[in-house]
Amino acid sequence: MKQLNCDVAVIGAGGAGLSAAAAAAAAGKNVVVIDREESCGGVLCQCIHNGFGLRYFNEELTGPEYALRMERCARESGARIMLGETVGAVRRHSDNTLEATLFSAANGVSKLNAKAMVFATGCRERTRANIAVPGDRSAGVYTAGSAQKLMNLTGMLPGRRAVIVGSGDIGLIMARRCRWSGIEVAAVVEILPEPSGLPRNIAQCLRDFDIPLLLSHRCARIMGRNRVEAVEIENLITKERFTFQCDTVLFSVGLIPENELLKSMGVEMNPATGGPCVDGSCQCALPGVFAAGNSLHVHDLVDFASIEARRAGAAAAEYASSGKLPSADAEVSCSKTLKYAIPNKCVPGSACEFFFRPTVSCARAKLTASADGQEIAKKMCLSVRPAEMLTMKAEIPAGTAKVEFLLEECK
Amino acid sequence: MKKMICITCPTGCEMEVLCDGDKITVSGNRCPRGAAYAESEIKDPRRTVTAVVHSGSGKFQSVRTDKPLPRPLIPGLLNKILKENYPEAEPGAVIIADIEGTGVNLIATGPAR
Ligand code: SF4
């Protein structure tokens, strides 16, 4: 069986994995990136719309362009990229090195040994089954992302007239993509009283095309003997029901971090994010195991995922050299107005960047960080919404045991 | 007074735009690009267009306009690329130059698949 050794192995060659690989390789490590697809970029390849790269590359790019740039960064830093390889299992040897079993059509089964591993496996979409929509099992029901893949990676159209369930960004982007491809969009239906996607996507993907956005409405039933013929929609406030004729239903109802490998290794998971618990260097509760990107927590922008992954890659390189990282003794917690704070632990006496997902919507809110009860950082946040992540950098004083974050609405 | 969301970056500032004859006053934008967007949105609304084009031999590739295109020209461009085939090109290469004399080009963004 083929055996390959490296310092840092990165699982997943998307916007996070490539960035982690570039950072680890730039630190002089021997880096191998594994991806099951035949090209780099992960989901970026099918995201042909613009809106990527403003923060990371200082330029507005489409998904494929962002992927190509990131791939170039990784290759130029010296990372080796192995495509068409699926990771079946990862285990830990008694000397603490990690071993991944790889499968591919080209090489059969092989082993990859690494001192440190970065898991950047992305996420998958929630489906009709996850939100239990009753009705017929007709053809023409897709997740927004699978319809996007169909249109942008195989050049086919999913149908002629669609209803989009959920107002997440992928659904909004697909509403415009449908209209630009000659597919009618009857409506976008959102169960919550406010949209889940970015305001710019409401403006440029729905308003530009006069596509109705039905807030506080749910998809109650899908009807159609073979192909979808109609969907029944319920107004959750008036309880009134009505139907839309359509042959296609796209679900854009959220993302689930993909962490089957980490779970099988027994890594401690964070129920609030669906990803692993990590410290400030993106290291999981198992030493030498790192996570970054959408498998750690779902990001709004690939730029944030890449920035976070750079930190994971650099830390993995340091771990590969020294066999340990400064111990993260400070526990992080947050108020109920925040769904989560990432990382879950940080190193006292150092600076750390935190990511948050708010649970509340308000025009202005104050975010404060305190270390053992002493305020250490604060900032004002404008137009706070669950759809948008918040970030904060803070210097954690030496000897800190507890870091707490509080988000308070300002009247 | 018109309410408008700036689509220039993901921040999506909610702006209030006041038109007094030719004079346009913008508030709520967090950077100067918001004011420029509001002015263009009132005088000459434009959008960046992204799509895929077919090569005719079963392959296709992703494309975008290299600058925002006047909105009234978008349906024409989309119809044209739906009907015509375009030879495979390297990412970054111009697929259609100077659309309708606007100086806007359609460029390839990804490899042919
Ligand atoms: S005004 Fe500036 S910061 Fe606000 S959305 Fe427009 S470009 Fe972005």
Side-chain angles (χ1 to χ4, degrees), chain A residues 6-89:
Chain A
C6 66
D7 295 319
V8 177
V10 179
I11 319 292
L18 292 170
S19 170
K29 294 292 130 188
N30 174 357
V31 179
V32 175
V33 188
I34 305 291
D35 200 286
R36 64 184 176 196
E37 297 296 333
E38 293 297 338
S39 57
C40 283
V43 79
L44 286 165
C45 299
Q46 68 184 63
C47 298
I48 63 163
H49 55 282
N50 56 314
F52 305 93
L54 275 167
R55 308 237 181 187
Y56 198 93
F57 293 114
N58 245 318
E59 197 180 321
E60 184 164 44
L61 302 169
T62 60
E65 292 170 301
Y66 189 100
L68 285 171
R69 289 251 185 136
M70 207 45 116
E71 178 181 354
R72 202 180 325 135
C73 288
R75 288 194 196 274
E76 282 173 2
S77 309
R80 172 172 171 200
I81 302 173
M82 291 171 64
L83 298 171
E85 295 278 352
T86 301
V87 179

Side-chain angles (χ1 to χ4, degrees), chain A residues 2 4 42 51 64 81 140 145 166 170 177 242 265 280 298 334 367 385:
Chain A
K2 263 199 202 163
L4 192 68
I81 302 173
I170 314 171
R177 184 78 183 93
F242 50 93
M265 294 168 73
V298 178
C334 59
L367 180 62
R385 301 167 345 105

Side-chain angles (χ1 to χ4, degrees), chain A residues 85-164:
Chain A
E85 295 278 352
T86 301
V87 179
V90 178
R91 67 188 186 109
R92 220 181 155 71
H93 291 299
S94 50
D95 66 352
N96 266 348
T97 56
L98 297 154
E99 177 200 86
T101 307
L102 312 179
F103 302 89
S104 74
N107 300 319
V109 181
S110 58
K111 301 274 188 197
L112 172 66
N113 296 301
K115 292 175 187 156
M117 261 184 209
V118 181
F119 290 79
T121 43
C123 48
R124 56 174 189 257
E125 293 179 279
R126 296 177 75 216
T127 63
R128 171 187 184 180
N130 290 102
I131 60 165
V133 176
D136 299 323
R137 297 187 153 263
S138 340
V141 179
Y142 306 81
T143 59
S146 55
Q148 185 181 50
K149 186 169 182 181
L150 195 69
M151 293 177 83
N152 298 346
L153 292 184
T154 65
M156 290 189 269
L157 300 183
R160 296 186 196 290
R161 182 174 156 88
V163 166
I164 299 177

